[in-house]
Amino acid sequence: MTEHLEDLIVRAIAARDGDDPELEELARTAPESLAPYLPRLLAADVVYPAALYCAADDETQRGLVAEADAGGKGALRLNHLLAALAQTRGPVAEEAFRRWRDQPPPGADKLFLTPAEYMPEGGWTLEGDRARELCGPVAHHLVAEETEESSSQERCQGCGAALWTALDLDTADERVAGALVHAGWSGRLRLVLCYGCAVDDADPVFLGVGPDGTSRLSDPPEPGTGLPAAGAPTERLVPGHLSGPYPDGSAIGGRPVWMDDAEYPRCPACGKLMAYIAQIDMQDISHMVGYHTFFLDAGCGLAAMVSQPE
């Protein structure tokens, strides 16, 4: 394994590009295996993809910061440096991003994002001087269980379709408690919405939630205003076996899969970024490809769903 990994590193350095499927898989499943090689990659200008640097130690983080402070040799490289540093999630990275809020690195004005907007790509953010985790420390796969569709289900006011219970979780289950500890939730968490109307909505769908399983749309549609009724998925997704921190497919906790850039919604009540809690692979419940990604602000009692089709 060590010899093969050395070959991968040598090839990445020769190409000055780490965009290799095997390296990316290692970054996702065993990031610590890449840690000893990161100084060499950085010295060879290999800072893409950012996930390679998840397990960077303090010294490597300081190297990323120093290059960013020097301007990064152009906007594209500065973009890669900031993205890589956000993935490291260490104290050196935190201090640099605090400083860059007031004193951005040279060339940051040429980027599409501010330095602060890179942090959520690594699953965290800064609130004042405090770092806050946006993702769970552990993850469990969600496993589909077939259920019979009930004619007595509550129906969507907009299109008349039966409502879909996207998630029904309880922190009494230690798997759920571990996956959602970063979100500060305690009790039952139930998210009920109209599948047809929600998937059609490009914006986040917000729901009011309570620890007793209460679930209600924050902005319910007017009767008869939705698209023609679409059937709700019949699968019920429940916690399954433990996953790694970067699970593929449907899961609670860990880090989400993004079809595009990270898209953490802001709570409409307090304006803070909402914590990621779960993700459903559309192929597990429908013919579509992509992900339904779920977020929570426990303090405000609001959850959200963001749909990212392929």
Side-chain angles (χ1 to χ4, degrees):
M1 174 61 183
T2 302
E3 184 176 340
H4 180 57
L5 181 51
E6 175 68 24
D7 289 341
L8 292 176
I9 297 298
V10 169
R11 289 207 302 267
I13 290 173
R16 299 185 70 178
D17 188 346
D19 191 11
D20 178 279
E22 288 188 78
L23 281 178
E24 291 192 67
E25 178 67 12
L26 284 171
R28 190 178 66 83
T29 60
E32 65 285 346
S33 68
L34 296 177
Y37 302 92
L38 296 179
R40 287 170 58 191
L41 291 176
L42 179 57
D45 285 346
V46 180
V47 288
Y48 179 86
L52 298 178
Y53 285 82
C54 285
D57 61 15
D58 287 356
E59 190 61 31
T60 302
Q61 291 177 44
R62 280 190 280 270
L64 290 166
V65 171
E67 292 208 24
D69 279 334
K73 302 175 185 176
L76 180 60
R77 181 168 171 75
L78 180 58
N79 171 76
H80 293 337
L81 288 166
L82 295 179
L85 192 63
Q87 292 290 335
T88 70
R89 183 57 185 87
V92 176
E94 288 180 21
E95 181 54 39
F97 279 107
R98 285 191 193 95
R99 175 165 53 84
W100 290 333
R101 286 184 299 191
D102 298 321
Q103 299 175 313
D109 58 324
K110 302 295 193 300
L111 300 175
F112 292 106
L113 303 176
T114 67
E117 291 175 301
Y118 284 85
M119 291 181 285
E121 296 280 351
W124 60 288
T125 189
L126 286 172
E127 292 180 355
D129 284 335
R130 184 178 67 88
R132 179 167 74 89
E133 300 295 340
L134 296 174
C135 298
V138 297
H140 289 267
H141 289 288
L142 288 172
V143 182
E145 288 187 346
E146 191 73 23
T147 58
E148 294 184 6
E149 191 172 2
S150 171
S151 60
S152 63
Q153 283 180 300
E154 185 181 355
R155 295 191 170 267
C156 173
Q157 292 182 164
C159 71
L163 294 183
W164 171 49
T165 301
L167 293 174
D168 192 350
L169 307 168
D170 199 314
T171 56
D173 183 330
E174 63 181 14
R175 295 169 299 182
V176 176
L180 303 189
V181 65
H182 68 295
W185 184 263
S186 180
R188 187 180 180 190
L189 180 62
R190 184 168 162 267
L191 306 186
V192 181
L193 43 81
C194 174
Y195 189 72
C197 292
V199 172
D200 184 62
D201 197 335
D203 296 322
V205 176
F206 294 99
L207 303 98
V209 292
D212 58 353
T214 303
S215 177
R216 58 175 179 77
L217 282 174
S218 293
D219 187 19
E222 294 293 326
T225 57
L227 298 172
T234 59
E235 295 83 3
R236 177 171 178 259
L237 298 179
V238 297
H241 58 283
L242 184 68
S243 166
Y246 301 89
D248 287 328
S250 302
I252 56 170
R255 298 271 288 273
V257 174
W258 298 106
M259 303 302 291
D260 201 345
D261 294 333
E263 189 179 346
Y264 291 85
R266 289 193 177 274
C267 174
C270 69
K272 294 181 180 179
L273 291 179
M274 302 179 80
Y276 163 74
I277 55 170
Q279 193 161 55
I280 292 178
D281 187 332
M282 293 181 184
Q283 294 183 94
D284 286 344
I285 58 172
S286 73
H287 65 280
M288 300 174 66
V289 176
Y291 288 91
H292 301 303
T293 310
F294 299 89
F295 305 86
L296 179 67
D297 185 325
C300 293
L302 287 170
M305 183 181 86
V306 172
S307 296
Q308 286 191 335
E310 188 174 75

